[in-house]
Amino acid sequence: EIQEGDDAYLDLQNVQEVSSLITRQALLYVAAFLIPFLFPVIHFFYVAEPSDTIFVLRSIFYPLQGFFNLFIFVYHKVQTLRRADEDLKFAEALGIVFLHPDKIATSILQMDNLDVVLQDISGLGRDV
């Protein structure tokens, strides 16, 4: 039985936290894909004469898809840095990502998601 404070409990808590982060990131990427196409779809299926409002919204959001993807990508890197160093503030981590990416330990960024996958596989009783 797993009890609070055990290593197994802490491992499970870490896996759940990272799994939640990955799920959130995936949903954000789906939203970043769908939101820019929302107004062109409305414009396409709009039965009456096209509205100027829909045209303006389409013109604003459609080109922003790349920005949304950049935001999600950077946000994940910032969160990963903050998980590795809990004293790191959001603005400091953001500065490191943009101004000093060479100072980021590649092991922190590459192994974060890989560790979760390996822990999940080993938790299922499979050899890695």
Side-chain angles (χ1 to χ4, degrees):
E1 183 174 307
I2 298 176
Q3 295 190 8
E4 193 170 340
D6 292 346
D7 285 340
Y9 177 81
L10 296 175
D11 287 343
L12 180 62
Q13 190 176 21
N14 183 44
V15 167
Q16 288 175 338
E17 180 183 330
V18 174
S19 178
S20 173
L21 184 79
I22 291 170
T23 302
R24 186 178 324 121
Q25 184 182 14
L27 291 174
L28 285 172
Y29 275 118
V30 169
F33 175 76
L34 292 177
I35 289 172
F37 288 103
L38 179 66
F39 298 107
V41 167
I42 290 173
H43 184 254
F44 182 76
F45 289 109
Y46 199 55
V47 178
E49 255 184 62
S51 165
D52 289 338
T53 305
I54 292 177
F55 178 75
V56 169
L57 290 172
R58 184 184 75 181
S59 298
I60 290 171
F61 283 98
Y62 194 71
L64 288 177
Q65 184 178 10
F67 174 75
F68 294 151
N69 285 326
L70 172 71
F71 177 79
I72 297 165
F73 179 81
V74 169
Y75 178 78
H76 178 69
K77 298 301 178 201
V78 167
Q79 289 301 101
T80 302
L81 285 173
R82 291 186 72 206
R83 281 186 67 241
D85 182 2
E86 293 178 2
D87 296 331
L88 198 62
K89 295 180 181 165
F90 184 84
E92 294 171 337
L94 190 63
I96 291 172
V97 169
F98 277 109
L99 302 175
H100 306 288
D102 54 323
K103 292 184 179 178
I104 301 172
T106 55
S107 60
I108 290 174
L109 298 178
Q110 291 175 348
M111 295 305 290
D112 187 53
N113 294 343
L114 181 60
D115 284 340
V116 173
V117 172
L118 293 176
Q119 286 177 1
D120 284 349
I121 291 171
S122 65
L124 296 173
R126 298 180 184 163
D127 291 331
V128 183

